[in-house]
Amino acid sequence: MPSELRVGTGFDAHAFEAGVPLVLGGMSFRSERGLAGHSDGDVITHALIDAILGALALGDIGTMFPSDDPELRGVSSLKLLRDAYARVKGLGWQLVNADVVLIGNEPKIAPVATEMATLLVSTIGEGVVAVRATTTDGLGFTGRGEGLAAQAVALLQRVA
């Protein structure tokens, strides 16, 4: 009998771009640079979407929401999360919990991490989401301040 639990992982990274709004976990941050991307470049939400889709072998965010789709230009990643999760729910699964880690030096998200997690949970309507951050001690593109990355893990449970 197949397991009633599934785990998926997700990863996303985007370069900083001047004059673009900075959105992380569905929240806007005051910044002169945002993340370049076809949608709003929200690496936290993108990693969470990939983890949720990956748990059920449904591909990734780029498969479900192609970057060459003009209707998705600048779209809120919360909408993408809502749409991806609706597909998961439609297949009889629900989120048990997810853990998302932002990788980069700025912005500091600790003061709003709980609010960010609450926003992500309210977008999908259930489950538990933890949001936190780490740095790479100056190593790599995130350490040099060239962009941000995020990784996520999600646990889904069959409900139907």
Side-chain angles (χ1 to χ4, degrees), residues 24-26 42 44-45 48 78 81 95 100 115-126 129-131:
L24 296 169
D42 182 345
I44 289 175
T45 305
L48 178 57
L78 293 180
L81 175 60
L95 179 69
V100 188
E115 184 180 350
M116 194 179 287
T118 300
L119 177 58
L120 293 168
V121 169
S122 69
T123 298
I124 60 176
E126 60 196 6
V129 176
V131 177

Side-chain angles (χ1 to χ4, degrees), residues 6-20:
R6 300 279 175 87
V7 174
T9 64
F11 177 83
D12 194 44
H14 288 284
F16 280 121
E17 183 176 315
V20 173

Side-chain angles (χ1 to χ4, degrees), residues 42-60:
D42 182 345
V43 293
I44 289 175
T45 305
H46 293 181
L48 178 57
I49 292 168
D50 271 351
I52 289 169
L53 293 174
L56 297 182
L58 296 175
D60 59 24

